[in-house]
Amino acid sequence: MDYYSSPSGSHHRTAVSTEAAVLKALLLVQSDALDSKLQGACEIRRLTKTSQRCRRQLSESIPHLVSMLHPLHYPDSHLEAALLALLNLAVKDEKNKIKIVEAGALGPIVGFLQSESLILQENATASLLTLSASTVNKPLISAAGAIPLLVEILRCGSPQAKADAVMALSNLSTLPSNLSIILDSNPVPPIVSLLKTCKKSSKTAEKCCSLIESLVGFDEGRIALTSEEGGVLAVVEVLENGSLQSRDHAVGALLTMCESDRCKYREPILGEGVIPGLLELTVQGTPKSQSKAKTLLRLLRDSPYPRSELQPDTIENIVCNIIYQIDGKDDQSSKAKKMLAEMVQVSMEQSLRHLQRRALVCTPTDMPMNNSCTSEVSSK
């Protein structure tokens, strides 16, 4: 055997084998036999799990898979297999996302959000997350009545379904007309609840804060966040410990609130110990976050009293001095950043009372054990 021709031959055999598997899967899913349809859906799911090429080749299976999403005609095993196959077909494929919706998949998928089967709930939520990444699909998903049901999943779904639901809602919120529908569903309490329990550096926390940033652009959203116990605090904690993107959304949400009504929201924000995180963000954040943090610090710094009446060691004066120097000449920037690092520690010490109160609040008896929703289970 020619040694150098072996890899090429192996690649050719693999390609031929894949082509044969694609044709077989298409024939199976088009069959009238239930067992063949199930086998075909499972095979399509397997082939499209990692292969973009197979997603393209198997796009013609979409109408046949969508036809399997009817509970009256197919058992749960078939519904699940078809849903997962469609989910894989939609991943990283804009054309397939649109084609799935055009084939009539939204009605059944939205219906599965209310299914007694937690598996179907999870898979339907994951499917809507993927489909909502398409700008074309966003108004159609909303029109299908998905938004209130996704908010309900946030309240009562499994941990995985909740994470997917908040990401789907975040995707849908980028369409302005969807924001009022989201607000009407009272989403802030379950979003805050999820934000409190998830890891602050996670993608889930990022999407929670992204959604909150959009919602606090409305008076109803601001009132809902400040009315929810620990709502502002949850955002402040992301500001301190989140990813760069999460922190940008968190500071954006707080800035939007303060700019909308400084007198109303200044104290609730200051009361949650926001200063240390903001000081750190003015140096360590992205350029966008730094700008937002500086603006918010100025709004929090300002006082209705003359500056002369302020004590020289107040946080307000400290922040004023730091921000002035950071915004000054380049040769002062290095010194200002060193001062900032020292002041973060000072501000942390001044916030000790708040941190102690926070520790007392977070006792085991206050953990979310008495959730009225009984359907929550561990993620699969």
Side-chain angles (χ1 to χ4, degrees):
M1 184 194 303
D2 185 346
Y3 176 81
Y4 295 102
S5 67
S6 180
S8 176
S10 175
H11 178 76
H12 175 71
R13 286 192 298 273
T14 300
V16 171
S17 175
T18 301
E19 293 288 341
V22 165
L23 290 174
K24 180 181 178 182
L26 285 172
L27 289 174
L28 285 169
V29 82
Q30 294 176 48
S31 170
D32 292 331
L34 289 182
D35 288 346
S36 296
K37 281 183 172 294
L38 177 60
Q39 184 182 351
C42 292
E43 186 66 5
I44 292 169
R45 178 193 178 191
R46 182 187 70 82
L47 291 168
T48 56
K49 186 174 183 179
T50 58
S51 172
Q52 185 63 35
R53 182 176 181 181
C54 284
R55 292 179 191 129
R56 289 279 81 236
Q57 293 174 323
L58 285 163
S59 64
E60 61 185 275
S61 70
I62 288 173
H64 304 286
L65 291 168
V66 171
S67 72
M68 294 173 63
L69 298 179
H70 295 283
L72 294 178
H73 302 127
Y74 294 93
D76 282 2
S77 58
H78 289 62
L79 301 177
E80 181 182 351
L83 197 53
L84 289 172
L86 289 167
L87 177 58
N88 281 359
L89 281 164
V91 172
K92 297 181 180 180
D93 194 307
E94 178 74 8
K95 290 182 179 179
N96 280 352
K97 286 181 174 69
I98 295 171
K99 189 171 182 178
I100 288 168
V101 171
E102 289 177 341
L106 280 183
I109 291 175
V110 170
F112 293 151
L113 294 178
Q114 302 176 85
S115 173
E116 294 181 359
S117 166
L118 292 179
I119 293 176
L120 282 177
Q121 273 191 21
E122 287 187 358
N123 292 336
T125 307
S127 297
L128 287 174
L129 165 58
T130 302
L131 295 174
S132 65
S134 166
T135 303
V136 174
N137 288 342
K138 291 178 183 182
L140 302 175
I141 293 172
S142 173
I147 287 176
L149 296 176
L150 285 170
V151 173
E152 188 61 26
I153 291 289
L154 269 183
R155 293 191 182 96
C156 303
S158 70
Q160 184 60 55
K162 287 181 179 181
D164 288 344
V166 80
M167 292 184 195
L169 287 168
S170 178
N171 284 346
L172 293 170
S173 72
T174 62
L175 188 67
S177 59
N178 281 342
L179 278 172
S180 59
I181 303 173
I182 295 173
L183 273 171
D184 288 343
S185 303
N186 192 26
V188 173
I191 293 172
V192 169
S193 178
L194 181 59
L195 186 55
K196 287 178 179 178
T197 56
C198 72
K199 187 176 181 181
K200 299 303 178 284
S201 58
S202 66
K203 194 72 174 178
T204 300
E206 177 188 325
K207 294 303 180 181
C208 283
C209 285
S210 170
L211 198 47
I212 288 172
E213 183 180 16
S214 297
L215 295 176
V216 296
F218 300 82
D219 192 44
E220 309 98 289
R222 295 189 290 272
I223 292 172
L225 184 63
T226 52
S227 300
E228 186 67 19
E229 184 176 357
V232 175
L233 174 58
V235 177
V236 169
E237 288 177 336
V238 174
L239 182 70
E240 295 171 344
N241 302 309
S243 65
L244 286 176
Q245 192 63 40
S246 298
R247 297 175 81 185
D248 182 64
H249 290 307
V251 70
L254 297 174
L255 178 58
T256 296
M257 293 172 67
C258 211
E259 285 181 329
S260 70
D261 192 333
R262 178 186 166 279
C263 293
K264 184 175 182 178
Y265 295 112
R266 179 175 180 267
E267 289 304 322
I269 293 172
L270 278 174
E272 298 298 356
V274 71
I275 294 296
L278 287 177
L279 289 172
E280 184 179 350
L281 202 58
T282 59
V283 170
Q284 296 183 359
T286 63
K288 188 177 180 181
S289 297
Q290 289 179 4
S291 176
K292 290 179 181 178
K294 292 175 187 179
T295 302
L296 181 54
L297 282 168
R298 290 188 183 98
L299 289 172
L300 297 175
R301 173 199 70 195
D302 289 340
S303 169
Y305 304 104
R307 300 300 301 176
S308 60
E309 294 185 22
L310 290 172
Q311 295 299 317
D313 60 346
T314 61
I315 289 181
E316 288 152 318
N317 267 357
I318 292 170
V319 171
C320 179
N321 185 43
I322 292 172
I323 297 303
Y324 172 78
Q325 293 195 47
I326 289 177
D327 287 344
K329 297 179 180 179
D330 291 342
D331 60 356
Q332 295 178 345
S333 178
S334 178
K335 181 179 179 181
K337 290 179 180 180
K338 290 179 181 179
M339 287 179 60
L340 180 57
E342 295 172 0
M343 289 304 102
V344 167
Q345 182 61 39
V346 171
S347 298
M348 287 290 189
E349 292 171 0
Q350 292 182 350
S351 297
L352 181 59
R353 182 183 302 175
H354 166 73
L355 296 174
Q356 289 173 333
R357 177 173 64 83
R358 183 189 302 179
L360 289 174
V361 170
C362 297
T363 60
T365 57
D366 290 326
M367 295 299 286
M369 297 296 291
N370 59 344
N371 194 327
S372 61
C373 302
T374 59
S375 63
E376 185 168 358
V377 296
S378 298
S379 60
K380 61 181 181 178

